[in-house]
Amino acid sequence: MKTDIILCGVGGQGILSIATIIGEAAMNDNLYIKQAEVHGMSQRGGAVQSNLRLSDRPIHSDLISLGGADVIISMEPMEALRYLPYLGKEGWIITSSAPFVNIPNYPDIEVLKKDYERLPHVISLDIEALAKDNNIPRSANVILLGAAQKALGIPFEKLEAAVRRVFGRKGDAIVEANIKALSIGREAQL
């Protein structure tokens, strides 16, 4: 088993939380894990990207080569397209469909949609709307993680247990909101 993941989005959207949950689930599934440092402006509004590599064998590098990513998980639709050269031919993009317009020349959303339509494996969800409609507005990132579960190859139960461990110190309400978010994402991608 080997899964190379690019996590991307904009600072403040919860990329590090996604990485932490995946890492926790992988370690508890006895997988090796390597994560490259988060690159970019981690403050609110700046682009953020990280490599996350999982394997049942030792991993020698924390960086993903061009064409080597199995999955791109993106909290922002334009950011996923920025990393397309890294996506393998059979790779998956799991992305938010709602743009975070943080630059003056942000591309037209219809152009972005057409770019996605040309790709073979894309799950695009309005995670912000799903989070708001389900009264869990701070858990949109975990909805996206739930939608990515099958592409990651990590059993849902392992991700659920990782959510419980990662958010456990924040109290039962936060844990349950994120478990709900994970389930919403899994159901949305079916």
Side-chain angles (χ1 to χ4, degrees):
M1 183 267 182
K2 174 200 79 69
T3 306
D4 288 339
I5 307 156
I6 293 178
L7 303 168
C8 56
V10 174
Q13 289 186 308
I15 300 286
L16 290 178
S17 293
I18 292 173
T20 301
I21 295 165
I22 293 171
E24 179 75 22
M27 286 190 302
N28 284 295
D29 203 19
N30 295 315
L31 297 174
Y32 293 92
I33 180 170
K34 289 253 186 187
Q35 180 178 1
E37 290 183 17
V38 173
H39 300 282
M41 302 281 292
S42 59
Q43 74 224 30
R44 191 117 179 91
V48 177
Q49 180 268 340
S50 181
N51 291 343
L52 187 60
R53 304 187 73 202
L54 314 175
S55 179
D56 56 2
R57 298 180 186 174
I59 303 166
H60 301 291
S61 173
D62 56 358
L63 298 177
I64 298 170
S65 63
L66 291 172
D70 300 297
V71 183
I72 295 175
I73 300 174
S74 182
M75 291 293 295
E76 207 290 321
M78 183 186 74
E79 290 299 321
L81 294 175
R82 183 186 311 253
Y83 297 101
L84 270 183
Y86 289 89
L87 189 65
K89 289 181 181 174
E90 293 302 313
W92 279 87
I93 293 178
I94 294 88
T95 185
S96 171
S97 62
F100 185 98
V101 180
N102 57 348
I103 56 174
N105 59 343
Y106 193 93
D108 182 84
I109 193 66
E110 293 306 315
V111 172
L112 291 177
K113 286 180 184 177
K114 286 182 178 163
D115 288 340
Y116 279 116
E117 288 170 3
R118 285 182 268 226
L119 300 171
H121 306 291
V122 176
I123 296 171
S124 179
L125 299 171
D126 189 342
I127 57 172
E128 297 294 335
L130 284 169
K132 185 178 176 185
D133 292 348
N134 286 281
N135 297 316
I136 49 172
R138 296 182 50 97
S139 299
N141 61 331
V142 181
I143 292 174
L144 194 64
L145 176 58
Q149 180 262 318
K150 282 188 180 178
L152 294 173
I154 298 173
F156 183 81
E157 298 74 28
K158 298 279 184 180
L159 286 175
E160 186 177 49
V163 165
R164 291 186 188 284
R165 285 188 298 274
V166 168
F167 293 109
R169 64 181 171 76
K170 294 187 176 188
D172 291 343
I174 300 296
V175 169
E176 293 311 312
N178 284 286
I179 294 296
K180 180 178 179 180
L182 196 66
S183 295
I184 289 167
R186 177 178 65 168
E187 292 168 16
Q189 57 92 27
L190 295 177

